[in-house]
Amino acid sequence: KNQQLKIRFDALPDNPLKYSQLAKVAIMAFDGSLVWGHTEYCRQETNVKLTWPESPRAYAPGMYYCIVNYAGKTYKRKFIVLP
């Protein structure tokens, strides 16, 4: 209850011919509906730190997915919100 999910990764060196520095992050409910979305242009070789939700609040208990699309790759992780 009133917990936050921390998302951290290191931005890669700039290489516009191979990938974009645009990061798209989504929190999806198990049914596929979008709960939260964030798009950010990452400065090369920096630590990227995102927090969901920005301010602590309660979300419906259940399974969620965190999806990060960055540098031509997609990373998915499941997590559970407990009552």
Side-chain angles (χ1 to χ4, degrees), residues 9 14 29-30 33 57 80:
F9 61 92
D14 204 18
F30 190 70
S33 60
R57 63 174 269 203
I80 296 173

Side-chain angles (χ1 to χ4, degrees), residues 24-37:
K24 295 180 181 180
V25 181
I27 303 295
M28 308 287 287
F30 190 70
D31 67 2
S33 60
L34 179 66
V35 175
W36 179 78

Side-chain angles (χ1 to χ4, degrees), residues 36-78:
W36 179 78
H38 179 81
T39 301
E40 179 174 327
Y41 185 81
C42 303
R43 290 188 351 200
Q44 64 177 335
E45 299 179 356
T46 59
N47 287 332
V48 179
K49 298 176 186 175
L50 302 172
T51 303
W52 173 78
E54 283 94 9
S55 58
R57 63 174 269 203
Y59 275 86
M63 186 175 299
Y64 292 83
Y65 292 96
C66 176
I67 303 169
V68 177
N69 191 331
Y70 172 68
K73 296 183 180 178
T74 300
Y75 306 90
K76 297 178 186 178
R77 294 287 183 264
K78 290 186 264 188

